[in-house]
Amino acid sequence: MAPVEWTLYQRLLFLIAFLPIPGALCFSELFFIKEPHEVTVMRRDAVILDCQGRGESPIDISWLKNGAKVSEDERVYLLSNGSLFISEVETRRGDKSDEGFYQCLAQNKYGAILSQKARLTIASISSFALQPTSVVVTKGSVARFSCKISAHPPPIITWEFNRVTLPLVTERITVLPSGVLQITGVQQADAGNYRCIATNIASRRRSTEATLTVTPAPSPQLPQRPRIIAGPQNISVSLHQNAILECMATGNPRPIISWSRADSRSIDVYSTKVLGNGNLIITDIKPQHRGVYLCRATTPGTRNYTVASANVTVLAPPSLVEWPESLTRPRAGTARFVCQAEGMPTPQITWLKNGEKVHSNGRIKMYNSKLVINQITPEDDAIYQCQAENELGSVISMARLIVVMSEDRPSAPRNIRADTVSSSAILLAWERPMYNSDKVIAYSVHYMKAEGLNNEEYQVVIGNDTTRYIIDDLEPARNYTFYVVAYMPMGASRMSDHVFQHTLEDVPLRAPELSLTSHSPVDIQVSWQPLPDKLSRGRISAYRLCYRTSSENSVSQVELPGDKTQHLLKNLQPDTIYLLRIVAATSVGWGEQSVWTSHRTPKASSARVPLAPELHLEPLNCTTILVRWQLEPRNSARVLGYRLYYHEESQSERNPVQLRASDHSRTISGLNPRKKYHVKLLAYNFIGDGYQADQTISTPGCVSVRDRLVPPPPPPHNVNAETNSSTAIVLRWSRPAFTSSHAVNYTVRCNPVGLQNASLVLYLQTSEQDLLVRGLEPNTKYEFAIRLHIDQLSSPWSPVVYQNTFPDAPTMPPSNVKVTLIEEDMALVSWKPPDEPNVDVTRYTVLYASRHSWIAGEWQVLQREGSITMALLENLKPGQVYLVKVSASNSMGDGPFSQTLELTVRESSGQDLHGSTHSTAYSNGFYHLDQKSMTGITVGVCIALICIIICAFIIVCRGKNRKSSVIKTYREGVSSSVSAAGTLASERQAEDADVTVPMMSPPHFIDAKGGTSLIINSLGPVQPSSERKEKWFCFSGNVKKESKVAQNIKRGTASYKPAPTELSYEHELTPDQPTTMQALLWRSRDTEGSSNSEGSHATGDSGRYSHDETEMTNVSSGLSSRPPSLMAEDSSDGGDPVKQSGDLAQENQTETEPMTSAEAKPDHQETQSSVPVCGNVPECV
């Protein structure tokens, strides 16, 4: 058993010994197993910074402090494992202090690597930057004290009341970690002295005492709108730390505080809680917690509230999302390392080679987070590290480049030499390699500028048939370095020796740009900047300054030495426009002259106007220049402001830009690249314009493809805009994925959406990746775009983002407020919106009270939506004087009240109220009518009804005369076809048991869909006669025959057959059968025709009845209910029953309206018991 345990023990020891190895298998040549970390210590304490390297021995360990090597002494020295030991930490000033950033450097035969940075901080606590101040508050209100102190580590803040420590949180007292003491519901016992105590490991400090004085509250307490006395502030919080947003409000009654996000997203309830009486604390903050938070203080039971906002930025240390990988490449090949990191702020990436910073040159380039090495040489075999760093920390990763050599490659070209041909050309010559020269297939010539860092290397490939080449695109008066590489199918040779040569001088490419000012009415101070080397093309030997007045052609000139940069022209004429230009020369000759620049000398006056400011222009990029100025110390005149003029050389002068007296710089953006601009600045006061300063500047070029042979940088991405307040918007963006050692700047373009004047577009410059844009208009939609500038290169504009500012709380009361008494106990209040732009009103509040209630502080409140500008005051008491005032509000808060208006309500009387000019009012969404309005409406309705009755009576009377004419005309039209129709009816009666009568005879037509009563027969329309003999019916027979028919009438039912259209009658004799007239005038409710009338409302074409058609069918059915014997008897008398029945149906349809009126009067049936008969067939007229 013992051997088994010993074997297991040995395996565990083996595993423990080699635990670090798996983490280093990917790079076993050299790595760290321990690195230093941030540490805070007390002064004179000892500290150890850990560092332990692993790899192939021997490994040399050294330390760097702030990038410089740490020298060892008896107080600071290395331990045997490589850690750095400091026996007593010192806080001496300057470089002698031990505070700083430390890095461990490990080195062996493969290369060197740096550890991550570790900050050593000595604990300290400074004096209070903000002391609490005494306050006087009323009883029941709120009190707030604050203090601020700088310390490391951050101190713990407590408060003392009369030298006794207060608890951190009680029902009325809250102590915030930021150093704020809040007291709500102040009592008389809270009066006393308060002081702030700050404590950390270094020391303990007490602030001065502040006194809280409590005064009695007024009685009665008047209502007060909510007011935020301490709102949240914009803060930046590190990842996983706590964020505290303060919000303290006062008002009567005490307001309720609530929190929300401006982006309408819900607040993380798991990580947030309310501290005290409205402060929001976010614990373990994460990236999703960033944004704008809104604090709202609301009066309980009302919609009165006010809002404050703050932006929370979450900072995160860098973390790598893509690491560089080790590579093996042949000599003269290309190696690419990729490294990408994320964090907030965006980390800056630095590349290291064997622990030292890599600089770009002709072969080595850094862009898009990549390190690219071209034309690899044996010296490139090293360990490379990618270091991502921001203000919260750093992270580092490494990879190795192994260069493979080949023995069959040719040796380097020999005896390289360079000869200058001109100011832009150099002849390069060399000899073939000594070994394997017969295998050379091509040569590559490499050249770059010899002075400066990060110069671009250019390469030209030529054939193997020559060993000479002229490089002719060089700059004048510059030193260059050259080397040559030979190529064969197996690879490239080593580089040849480097050779240096300079080009000749040339005439200056351009003249200097002038700056003109006047110190008196008779002089002009002319100054200029020396030309850069690219433009001077050699050493400037002389200048020639020419000048003249604008009204003269004679030119004066002055020759100046090449080392001068200014000259004073004297004895000039006051208030005169002078034109000036300059030209520069080298040893080769004179260059191009500048264009004429104008300048007006000041007026000769004793008035004290401001002197010309000292003007400085600086191009920030190809489209932006920075204008800076300052007044001369001897200027004693008061300045009210500045006027800035600028225009392109070939264009007219623009209107000036008005600037404040406190301004000393201005950024001019939106310019054109490679253009010359004239800038003029002058100060003014109440006397007039001061002396002007003129200067000319040229914008650089933006196009990089032609000049630099590299593409322009990509634009910023992930542009995000968040509203911060009614006048500010926060912009954030990410830097595109590329790396450069040059500084990166950004231009932010901002303008309201739909802006027509391009000169009002705002351009802002920053080197950060976020910007708070201030001074915006409330409740306005803005558009933003961002571009990047690096080393005179500019990216395109980013995609446009849009954002609205918050509406501002109204600062003015509603205008044109009026109160009108419209009833004895009712008044109308009207108003107009506040007279201020860009203010959105969502609610109006009307306060009114009688004098007695006003003294007691009791107001009655009415609230109306923002679209309503009137309100009705009801239940007013007679004999009282009422006070009325109105205010406007929106989501950001309440505006002030209007001036108080008085309304006198008179005692009740029978007379009209004086001044009651309004009859209607709008209240609660409805119009209310007074008594006068109701009386007028009633009288009008009565008059309208009387007119309608009179018109109906006239129409009925005229209808009587029209009916007799219709009957007469109808009989004449149908007499010719009676015989044939009668024969047809007789045959059908003999065949059928039931009597079937067509509704219309074939040659006659009627509109079955209703409408006009016009009858149409085969001869055309029948015009009705103006005469009428009977009221309802007319028959061709005598009265006796109709009476006989009435006595023998049978009960039947009328049914409708879809086709052909006809009425059928089934006979059933009943003793109490009503007469034909009774059936027409008083129909039973349970008949089939009645049900059809209720349920059918379509036309006859669809097989249904309309209401009018059904009634006519019942009438026709009743009048056609006769036995066959009677029908035959009628036929023998010369009448056609079928024909007449059809005519009867047609006439019945033309009389629908009179029949309907008859049905509405059942008493009328008794007077119509006997009806005249025409042709033995009852007809309805």
Side-chain angles (χ1 to χ4, degrees):
M1 195 66 188
V4 175
E5 293 180 354
W6 175 248
T7 304
L8 180 61
Y9 178 71
Q10 286 180 323
R11 290 180 179 178
L12 288 174
L13 288 178
F14 180 84
L15 179 61
I16 293 172
F18 288 92
L19 273 176
I21 295 179
L25 289 177
C26 59
F27 194 87
S28 58
E29 290 88 349
L30 185 62
F31 59 94
F32 288 109
I33 59 175
K34 279 187 179 181
E35 295 185 72
H37 297 278
E38 292 190 359
V39 61
T40 300
V41 297
M42 294 287 296
R43 182 174 175 270
R44 296 190 176 279
D45 281 357
V47 64
I48 297 177
L49 298 176
D50 294 326
C51 179
Q52 188 172 350
R54 180 71 59 84
E56 189 170 335
S57 300
I59 299 177
D60 182 32
I61 301 292
S62 60
W63 282 85
L64 303 177
K65 175 193 169 187
N66 297 330
K69 188 173 182 180
V70 175
S71 57
E72 297 185 48
D73 54 28
E74 58 182 10
R75 189 177 62 87
V76 180
Y77 55 88
L78 267 68
L79 301 179
S80 59
N81 63 353
S83 298
L84 182 66
F85 177 75
I86 305 176
S87 59
E88 291 186 2
V89 176
E90 295 291 343
T91 59
R92 291 171 292 181
R93 294 182 179 180
D95 295 337
K96 295 183 178 181
S97 173
D98 291 326
E99 286 188 307
F101 291 94
Y102 288 81
Q103 285 180 287
C104 172
L105 178 66
Q107 187 172 8
N108 65 3
K109 67 176 185 179
Y110 296 106
I113 56 175
L114 269 177
S115 70
Q116 64 182 9
K117 289 184 178 180
R119 183 177 182 180
L120 172 62
T121 306
I122 300 176
S124 62
I125 185 168
S126 62
S127 300
F128 280 93
L130 177 65
Q131 299 274 6
T133 57
S134 300
V135 293
V136 179
V137 299
T138 59
K139 182 180 179 180
S141 62
V142 298
R144 179 180 182 272
F145 296 97
S146 63
C147 65
K148 186 179 293 184
I149 192 171
S150 297
H152 194 89
I156 297 174
I157 303 293
T158 58
W159 285 83
E160 290 183 351
F161 171 54
N162 292 333
R163 305 296 175 92
V164 177
T165 302
L166 289 171
L168 295 181
V169 178
T170 67
E171 184 179 355
R172 297 188 304 107
I173 298 176
T174 303
V175 178
L176 301 183
S178 56
V180 174
L181 172 65
Q182 299 175 342
I183 306 174
T184 59
V186 174
Q187 305 297 327
Q188 191 64 44
D190 297 327
N193 297 323
Y194 293 82
R195 69 177 179 180
C196 173
I197 311 297
T199 307
N200 71 354
I201 61 175
S203 181
R204 178 186 179 99
R205 292 191 181 274
R206 297 175 176 85
S207 69
T208 58
E209 290 188 336
T211 303
L212 173 62
T213 305
V214 182
T215 60
S219 180
Q221 292 188 2
L222 299 178
Q224 295 180 351
R225 292 178 176 271
R227 181 171 61 91
I228 296 178
I229 61 175
Q233 302 296 319
N234 296 338
I235 56 173
S236 297
V237 186
S238 300
L239 197 66
H240 304 302
Q241 300 298 313
N242 296 339
I244 297 177
L245 299 175
E246 181 186 7
C247 189
M248 191 176 187
T250 183
N252 187 27
R254 178 181 168 186
I256 300 173
I257 294 178
S258 59
W259 288 89
S260 62
R261 289 177 61 108
D263 56 7
S264 300
R265 293 169 53 191
S266 60
I267 293 181
D268 184 5
V269 296
Y270 298 102
S271 301
T272 59
K273 63 180 180 180
V274 176
L275 183 63
N277 291 280
N279 309 290
L280 186 70
I281 179 171
I282 307 175
T283 60
D284 190 21
I285 198 165
K286 297 179 177 60
Q288 61 264 27
H289 291 140
R290 73 177 185 179
V292 177
Y293 288 77
L294 303 177
C295 166
R296 174 177 295 189
T298 308
T299 301
T302 70
R303 297 178 62 184
N304 295 329
Y305 61 87
T306 184
V307 177
S309 62
N311 181 67
V312 175
T313 302
V314 180
L315 304 178
S319 61
L320 293 176
V321 296
E322 189 172 1
W323 299 264
E325 297 180 355
S326 297
L327 301 174
T328 300
R329 293 291 183 267
R331 186 171 58 182
T334 301
R336 291 180 177 86
F337 295 103
V338 180
C339 180
Q340 290 189 6
E342 61 182 15
M344 185 66 191
T346 303
Q348 300 293 326
I349 293 181
T350 304
W351 286 95
L352 305 174
K353 174 186 176 183
N354 288 337
E356 296 181 357
K357 189 175 180 180
V358 176
H359 296 281
S360 295
N361 55 34
R363 295 188 309 109
I364 301 175
K365 300 180 178 64
M366 292 178 288
Y367 58 90
N368 292 340
S369 299
K370 296 179 181 179
L371 172 65
V372 180
I373 305 175
N374 296 309
Q375 293 294 322
I376 294 176
T377 65
E379 290 77 13
D380 297 326
D381 191 320
I383 300 174
Y384 293 85
Q385 289 179 288
C386 165
Q387 178 176 274
E389 183 178 12
N390 64 10
E391 60 188 50
L392 270 72
S394 64
V395 64
I396 199 165
S397 181
M398 61 183 175
R400 183 184 173 191
L401 174 61
I402 301 175
V403 180
V404 179
M405 306 295 292
S406 175
E407 298 179 356
D408 295 335
R409 296 175 186 247
S411 58
R414 301 173 296 154
N415 300 331
I416 184 171
R417 57 190 180 275
D419 297 318
T420 301
V421 176
S422 66
S423 62
S424 61
I426 291 178
L427 173 63
L428 192 67
W430 63 92
E431 295 181 3
R432 294 180 180 273
M434 181 174 295
Y435 304 106
N436 297 326
S437 60
D438 56 335
K439 298 180 181 180
V440 173
I441 59 175
Y443 295 97
S444 64
V445 176
H446 302 257
Y447 61 97
M448 59 185 292
K449 295 176 184 176
E451 296 94 356
L453 298 174
N454 301 326
N455 293 320
E456 292 288 340
E457 181 180 278
Y458 300 93
Q459 177 182 358
V460 180
V461 179
I462 59 176
N464 61 352
D465 56 344
T466 181
T467 56
R468 297 165 59 91
Y469 186 76
I470 296 179
I471 300 99
D472 57 0
D473 57 350
L474 308 178
E475 296 180 8
R478 287 298 185 97
N479 285 330
Y480 285 86
T481 178
F482 304 87
Y483 69 90
V484 182
V485 176
Y487 284 86
M488 59 178 294
M490 297 299 296
S493 68
R494 296 192 306 272
M495 294 183 298
S496 67
D497 295 334
H498 286 70
V499 62
F500 296 86
Q501 187 60 280
H502 67 277
T503 53
L504 299 177
E505 288 186 349
D506 205 341
V507 297
L509 189 61
R510 199 168 64 191
E513 291 164 345
L514 297 178
S515 176
L516 309 174
T517 58
S518 292
H519 300 297
S520 71
V522 294
D523 64 29
I524 297 178
Q525 178 70 45
V526 184
S527 58
W528 59 90
Q529 293 292 329
L531 288 172
D533 294 340
K534 189 174 183 178
L535 299 179
S536 63
R537 305 206 286 190
R539 189 183 66 85
I540 299 298
S541 59
Y543 293 101
R544 181 184 295 160
L545 179 64
C546 305
Y547 63 95
R548 65 179 177 88
T549 62
S550 59
S551 58
E552 298 178 356
N553 294 326
S554 59
V555 179
S556 303
Q557 63 182 23
V558 179
E559 295 262 350
L560 302 171
D563 57 349
K564 293 199 65 174
T565 56
Q566 60 182 3
H567 180 70
L568 180 65
L569 297 177
K570 301 179 181 180
N571 302 323
L572 304 179
Q573 302 176 15
D575 194 18
T576 304
I577 297 177
Y578 280 86
L579 302 179
L580 301 91
R581 68 181 181 188
I582 194 172
V583 61
T586 62
S587 60
V588 180
W590 293 96
E592 181 182 358
Q593 296 186 96
S594 66
V595 298
W596 291 105
T597 302
S598 63
H599 179 80
R600 180 186 289 274
T601 54
K603 296 179 180 180
S605 173
S606 59
R608 296 177 58 188
V609 296
L611 299 178
E614 296 181 3
L615 185 62
H616 303 278
L617 304 181
E618 177 185 356
L620 296 180
N621 51 66
C622 59
T623 61
T624 308
I625 60 174
L626 175 63
V627 183
R628 293 181 292 108
W629 65 89
Q630 60 182 6
L631 288 174
E632 295 185 5
R634 61 190 184 92
N635 181 69
S636 59
R638 181 185 177 187
V639 175
L640 296 181
Y642 297 93
R643 292 190 178 96
L644 176 65
Y645 302 80
Y646 68 94
H647 64 94
E648 195 175 328
E649 187 176 66
S650 59
Q651 297 180 359
S652 59
E653 190 172 79
R654 301 184 180 183
N655 293 329
V657 178
Q658 299 289 340
L659 303 172
R660 295 171 296 185
S662 58
D663 294 337
H664 295 286
S665 65
R666 176 77 176 189
T667 301
I668 303 176
S669 302
L671 307 179
N672 296 321
R674 299 182 185 274
K675 295 293 183 180
K676 184 173 290 188
Y677 285 86
H678 296 285
V679 180
K680 180 173 69 175
L681 181 71
L682 58 86
Y684 65 90
N685 58 13
F686 61 93
I687 298 177
D689 292 345
Y691 296 178
Q692 69 184 34
D694 294 272
Q695 193 169 340
T696 305
I697 189 172
S698 296
T699 55
C702 286
V703 180
S704 61
V705 176
R706 181 175 65 249
D707 298 339
R708 302 284 304 277
L709 298 178
V710 294
H717 58 276
N718 297 334
V719 181
N720 180 42
E722 294 180 359
T723 304
N724 192 57
S725 66
S726 59
T727 59
I729 292 178
V730 178
L731 287 177
R732 295 185 181 88
W733 60 90
S734 298
R735 174 177 171 172
F738 74 94
T739 304
S740 175
S741 59
H742 293 271
V744 176
N745 294 311
Y746 301 93
T747 298
V748 177
R749 186 185 71 201
C750 167
N751 61 272
V753 174
L755 182 67
Q756 300 295 330
N757 189 352
S759 63
L760 299 180
V761 178
L762 180 65
Y763 294 90
L764 304 173
Q765 303 292 322
T766 180
S767 59
E768 305 295 331
Q769 295 180 31
D770 55 74
L771 179 67
L772 180 63
V773 184
R774 304 176 184 269
L776 305 179
E777 293 293 331
N779 197 28
T780 304
K781 187 175 184 179
Y782 283 85
E783 62 178 38
F784 300 90
I786 306 172
R787 73 188 309 177
L788 178 146
H789 309 284
I790 178 171
D791 191 24
Q792 301 299 330
L793 303 179
S794 297
S795 72
W797 288 103
S798 68
V800 176
V801 296
Y802 300 90
Q803 189 67 18
N804 276 79
T805 53
F806 290 142
D808 204 358
T811 58
M812 299 179 63
S815 61
N816 199 20
V817 180
K818 296 181 179 179
V819 183
T820 306
L821 192 66
I822 60 176
E823 288 293 338
E824 294 181 353
D825 62 344
M826 189 181 304
L828 177 68
V829 184
S830 63
W831 60 87
K832 292 183 179 180
D835 294 331
E836 52 183 332
N838 298 328
V839 173
D840 183 27
V841 178
T842 59
R843 185 183 69 257
Y844 290 101
T845 302
V846 181
L847 297 184
Y848 70 99
S850 63
R851 283 193 181 274
H852 178 73
S853 300
W854 173 72
I855 294 175
E858 299 175 354
W859 289 90
Q860 298 189 52
V861 182
L862 291 178
Q863 291 188 337
R864 295 292 178 265
E865 297 296 331
S867 59
I868 300 174
T869 56
M870 62 176 63
L872 201 62
L873 309 182
E874 299 176 315
N875 301 323
L876 304 181
K877 297 179 180 179
Q880 295 284 342
V881 176
Y882 281 85
L883 305 178
V884 183
K885 56 184 179 179
V886 187
S887 72
S889 308
N890 60 17
S891 59
M892 299 305 295
D894 301 328
F897 277 98
S898 63
Q899 292 184 353
T900 304
L901 300 181
E902 292 188 356
L903 173 67
T904 302
V905 181
R906 300 185 179 182
E907 295 289 347
S908 178
S909 63
Q911 299 178 353
D912 294 341
L913 295 173
H914 177 70
S916 178
T917 59
H918 296 78
S919 61
T920 62
Y922 192 77
S923 177
N924 296 328
F926 300 95
Y927 282 96
H928 298 268
L929 304 177
D930 59 4
Q931 186 175 1
K932 289 184 177 181
S933 300
M934 292 298 300
T935 303
I937 292 174
T938 304
V939 172
V941 171
C942 293
I943 294 175
L945 290 175
I946 293 172
C947 293
I948 293 173
I949 294 172
I950 293 174
C951 293
F953 180 77
I954 293 174
I955 292 172
V956 171
C957 292
R958 294 184 61 185
K960 296 178 181 180
N961 298 330
R962 187 183 305 114
K963 182 57 60 178
S964 60
S965 175
V966 171
I967 298 294
K968 186 175 181 180
T969 306
Y970 167 72
R971 289 172 177 170
E972 294 176 356
V974 302
S975 60
S976 60
S977 58
V978 169
S979 178
T983 304
L984 178 60
S986 299
E987 294 176 357
R988 296 185 63 181
Q989 290 172 6
E991 295 172 359
D992 301 329
D994 296 336
V995 179
T996 303
V997 182
M999 296 181 66
M1000 286 289 294
S1001 57
H1004 295 79
F1005 307 92
I1006 187 169
D1007 185 6
K1009 298 180 182 293
T1012 180
S1013 60
L1014 181 63
I1015 299 175
I1016 305 173
N1017 61 14
S1018 59
L1019 300 178
V1022 179
Q1023 300 296 332
S1025 173
S1026 62
E1027 297 182 0
R1028 185 164 186 172
K1029 297 181 179 180
E1030 300 293 339
K1031 182 175 182 181
W1032 293 108
F1033 299 92
C1034 179
F1035 298 91
S1036 57
N1038 52 35
V1039 178
K1040 294 181 180 181
K1041 287 186 177 182
E1042 181 57 36
S1043 300
K1044 185 178 180 180
V1045 172
Q1047 294 173 2
N1048 298 293
I1049 194 168
K1050 294 182 179 180
R1051 181 179 179 182
T1053 57
S1055 62
Y1056 174 72
K1057 298 180 181 180
T1061 306
E1062 59 183 19
L1063 291 174
S1064 62
Y1065 189 89
E1066 296 180 0
H1067 301 270
E1068 184 179 351
L1069 197 58
T1070 336
D1072 55 348
Q1073 176 72 28
T1075 62
T1076 304
M1077 199 59 188
Q1078 290 173 339
L1080 289 175
L1081 300 180
W1082 194 5
R1083 291 162 31 213
S1084 176
R1085 293 185 179 179
D1086 57 354
T1087 60
E1088 186 179 359
S1090 176
S1091 63
N1092 289 342
S1093 175
E1094 294 177 1
S1096 302
H1097 300 283
T1099 64
D1101 295 341
S1102 62
R1104 294 185 178 182
Y1105 292 137
S1106 67
H1107 183 77
D1108 295 337
E1109 292 170 343
T1110 307
E1111 293 179 357
M1112 292 308 302
T1113 304
N1114 293 332
V1115 173
S1116 302
S1117 172
L1119 295 180
S1120 303
S1121 302
R1122 303 189 62 184
S1125 59
L1126 295 177
M1127 298 297 295
E1129 184 180 352
D1130 292 343
S1131 177
S1132 64
D1133 291 340
D1136 185 354
V1138 178
K1139 181 70 174 180
Q1140 292 177 3
S1141 298
D1143 297 341
L1144 175 61
Q1146 184 173 358
E1147 294 183 38
N1148 288 340
Q1149 191 166 356
T1150 63
E1151 291 299 323
T1152 302
E1153 295 181 3
M1155 285 174 56
T1156 305
S1157 301
E1159 289 178 0
K1161 301 176 182 179
D1163 296 338
H1164 190 68
Q1165 63 182 353
E1166 297 179 358
T1167 62
Q1168 300 293 334
S1169 58
S1170 61
V1171 185
V1173 178
C1174 297
N1176 299 323
V1177 178
E1179 297 183 56
C1180 177
V1181 181

